[in-house]
Amino acid sequence: MAVAIDCDPARLDRERIYQYLSGESYWARGLPREVFERSLAHSLCFGAYVDDGQLIGFARAITDRATFAYLADVFVLDGWQGQGIGKRLVAAAMAHPDLAGLRRMMLATADAHGLYAQYGFTALNRPERMMERLDQDVYLRKAAGGDAQAVLG
């Protein structure tokens, strides 16, 4: 069965992507639907599809399309893993005209360092220059009706 990858937002199976990210992924569990929808609207999204149009993989790039991108939410559904689809998604992102030639592209991963290394990703060159503002509980507070903008402790 052939697999096609494209950036057509109309083809995205938003419900399946949301189910995976909010319920199955380790990085976005509990993701509120409205946050998910905003994230897609402001990203360059890649879908991987089989012949019948079923979405089997996804990735998105948050980017200014000139100097920087953050590759996020890369996944391949169970049953389709191990067939090179994740590699094809990353390769499609790297080759996209709006992402090719950027000065910096970043990502975070807990378990796919080998995959991303094949595309030139490395540990931070100067980690002492990088900072982050991380709020692991923001989705939990939103779900509980709390202030999602709470100051980090």
Side-chain angles (χ1 to χ4, degrees):
M1 188 171 282
V3 174
I5 296 174
D6 69 41
C7 293
D8 181 357
R11 284 191 77 191
L12 293 173
D13 182 345
R14 296 170 103 80
E15 188 58 36
R16 184 63 191 108
I17 297 166
Y18 177 71
Q19 287 173 1
Y20 184 89
L21 292 175
S22 67
E24 299 174 45
S25 75
Y26 68 82
W27 64 89
R29 191 159 313 223
L31 176 70
R33 184 66 185 233
E34 68 276 6
V35 173
F36 165 75
E37 292 295 342
R38 257 191 336 228
S39 74
L40 292 191
H42 297 285
S43 298
L44 177 59
C45 298
F46 298 83
Y49 306 92
V50 289
D51 294 334
D52 65 0
Q54 174 190 4
L55 181 129
I56 59 169
F58 176 77
R60 70 185 181 98
I62 303 109
T63 182
D64 62 8
R65 299 176 188 234
T67 64
F68 178 81
Y70 183 87
L71 188 60
D73 297 336
V74 179
F75 70 84
V76 175
L77 295 176
D78 289 342
W80 294 97
Q81 295 173 1
Q83 299 180 44
I85 298 164
K87 290 179 181 181
R88 290 189 55 201
L89 278 165
V90 175
M94 302 299 292
H96 191 280
D98 288 348
L99 302 178
L102 300 178
R103 183 161 193 260
R104 176 170 285 148
M105 185 178 279
M106 298 181 77
L107 60 81
T109 183
D111 57 5
H113 296 79
L115 166 66
Y116 298 116
Q118 296 174 47
Y119 298 92
F121 287 91
T122 64
L124 294 174
N125 182 42
R126 298 222 172 133
E128 70 278 6
R129 292 185 178 188
M130 303 303 290
M131 297 178 72
E132 71 177 348
R133 181 174 180 233
L134 179 62
D135 185 352
Q136 294 281 43
D137 298 325
V138 67
Y139 301 153
L140 294 173
R141 283 195 313 279
K142 271 190 139 216
D147 181 8
Q149 300 298 320
V151 176
L152 299 173

